[in-house]
Amino acid sequence: MERPRAARNRTLALGLAALISLPLLTSGPAQAKGNFPSPEGNTSTASILTYADTVKELERIEETSRYGVDVFTLAEAGTGVDTSEQGRDLYVATVGDGPKDVWVQGRIHGNEPYGAEAILSLLKDLGTNGSPEYEEIRDAFTIHFIPMYNPDGSELNIRQTVLWDTAANAPRKGANGQDLIVDLNRDWVADKFQARESLAFYEYWTMVDPEYGIDIHHQGLKQQYGTGDDVTLSLGISLAPGGPTLPTLKGGAYDVLTRQMHGYVYEELKGTGFITMDRYQVGNSLEIDIKGGVVSAMMLGLNHQNLNPEGHSNPVVFFETSGNTSDGSLGQKARGKSIQQNILAMRTLLGGLASGEVQQTDPEVWEDIPHAPVTGYSTDYAGTIPVTP
Ligand SMILES: [Zn+2]
């Protein structure tokens, strides 16, 4: 999987936006010392990883790894569109030499930072740790880590990305004169693909044809149904199990397998003191059934521009850490634990899939994960669909 180094192209013309947002991203208090390790070395005192930090850390991990971490850009991988809207290189790191590919993405929403940090930390561990647990994962899988899917939005500390006029080096404007912004997690839709990031990563997905996927997000603060305890981690599936869509895919295989994936994580981590889990729901009692999310499009086997003529698809689950950086709800004290719970959740899931324990899990464990009684499905194609009693 070595990519030619000569093709590596550092894009320096990053646009004004990155410069404006820089103080926000690099200032802030030094991290409080906690019981849990920060992701890595020189990044531990910055409040949030910048794009430059991420690239530097990826290269450091590649250089120091013992088990073949390969860091490359989508330009090196050879996708047709291969940068962000503002021209930043899009990075992937692979580790493991197993026959099955796994896709792990973080920070598709730029103001949801810990996916990147958790991925870098797990990548480093998989690249250096010789223990049987990590060896089993490396032997089973080739993992494609995307620590920062949305580098422009990350630099701006916003959820979306801004569509960019490269010639003018300025935001593209809509009919109303406003900047055109796109939620990259609603853009893998046949008649959309408005952003370069979407086309680039979609094409890469068609090159990889992964077996499984994991997606890391942040959510607002919430309480666990029944106990009122503060939730730290919500377990989500973007096409609701038992809902209008998932049971129709692959003869119901993904409806079972995604519940097994989260059921296994829940069973393994529910005794972990600093983690309080529930199921991801919106509007208190709605499951989501959205088709435009990247991970939904993967499960649906989207064939855009005939890049996926064989209709490849794969099951994907997502993790939501409570708190984000835009509304100030993400306290510094929670940082280490928030990152650590994502590392643990990913490591647990990858290990369980590699050993086959996930596939042996009772899918009905999904019902044991705390959640409000489901009253309907929040969709991006038919409004809210009520659950029929
Ligand atoms: Zn998100």
Side-chain angles (χ1 to χ4, degrees), residues 198-221:
S198 303
L199 283 163
F201 279 117
Y202 174 79
E203 184 174 359
Y204 187 65
W205 174 71
T206 67
M207 293 161 73
V208 172
D209 284 349
E211 192 90 3
Y212 308 107
I214 303 172
D215 184 20
I216 313 276
H217 290 263
H218 292 241
Q219 63 185 354
L221 303 179

Side-chain angles (χ1 to χ4, degrees), residues 108-109 111-112 159 185 215-219 320:
I108 190 170
H109 292 139
N111 61 350
E112 300 176 3
R159 174 183 176 90
N185 204 30
D215 184 20
I216 313 276
H217 290 263
H218 292 241
Q219 63 185 354
E320 294 268 353

